[in-house]
Amino acid sequence: MKRRMYRARRRMNHVISELSHVLLQAGSREIHMDLIREDNGLRLRLEGVYEEENQTKMEHMALLLQPKFRDPALVETYWELTGEDQYTEESEMSLVGQMVDESAVRLEDGRVWIDLFLAF
C-alpha cells in the first residue's frame, strides 16, 4: 500500500504541474486548486480562467483528460520515460489523461473546472 501511495503522490505532482502549465499558457491569471486525500486515493479539483482565443486548445485538453479507454500498462511504461527532449504539450496532456482513474472537465464562458481522481 505504501508503494501505491508513493506512486500516486508522484503522479499527482506531475498532473498538477502539467495542468497549471497549460492554464498559464492559456492566459490564466488565477488558478484555484484543492487537493484532497481520500481513503482510496487523491482528488484534484482545479478551477481557472483562460483567454477566449484559447477555447479550441482548452476543448482539446478536455478531450485528452477524459479518454474513452485508459491503459494502465501504457502509463507504467511511458510516464517515467518522458523527458524534456521528448516533450510535446499534447503527449504530456494525453499521458495525464491516462494516469488518472476518473476525470471530469467542464468549460464555460472562459472558465474551466477540472475534477480528477488518482487511486492508491
Side-chain angles (χ1 to χ4, degrees), residues 23-110:
L23 286 173
L24 290 170
Q25 278 192 320
S28 189
R29 293 181 181 266
E30 291 181 30
I31 301 170
H32 300 274
M33 179 183 72
D34 291 317
L35 180 58
I36 303 145
R37 182 176 172 193
E38 297 179 0
D39 290 339
N40 58 343
L42 300 171
R43 180 163 310 276
L44 175 66
R45 291 192 179 118
L46 194 133
E47 178 184 347
V49 295
Y50 56 91
E51 295 173 350
E52 187 176 317
E53 64 207 36
N54 292 305
Q55 179 70 30
T56 303
K57 181 179 186 176
M58 298 306 289
E59 289 170 354
H60 187 65
M61 178 201 69
L63 288 173
L64 292 173
L65 287 176
Q66 301 173 95
K68 292 182 185 199
F69 303 101
R70 289 192 166 92
D71 183 356
L74 173 71
V75 175
E76 290 300 322
T77 302
Y78 187 74
W79 94 283
E80 295 262 359
L81 298 177
T82 57
E84 290 300 315
D85 58 331
Q86 300 169 330
Y87 177 81
T88 66
E89 193 171 301
E90 184 168 319
S91 68
E92 286 294 311
M93 196 54 56
S94 180
L95 181 59
V96 168
Q98 289 291 321
M99 287 169 63
V100 298
D101 297 296
E102 298 172 16
S103 58
V105 181
R106 183 169 54 105
L107 302 172
E108 187 177 303
D109 298 326

Side-chain angles (χ1 to χ4, degrees), residues 1 3-9 11-12 38-43 99-102 116-120:
M1 180 66 156
R3 184 171 171 85
R4 289 192 314 235
M5 289 174 68
Y6 174 76
R7 277 188 186 163
R9 285 192 306 264
R11 287 181 180 176
M12 187 57 82
E38 297 179 0
D39 290 339
N40 58 343
L42 300 171
R43 180 163 310 276
M99 287 169 63
V100 298
D101 297 296
E102 298 172 16
L116 306 174
F117 180 76
L118 210 158
F120 290 139

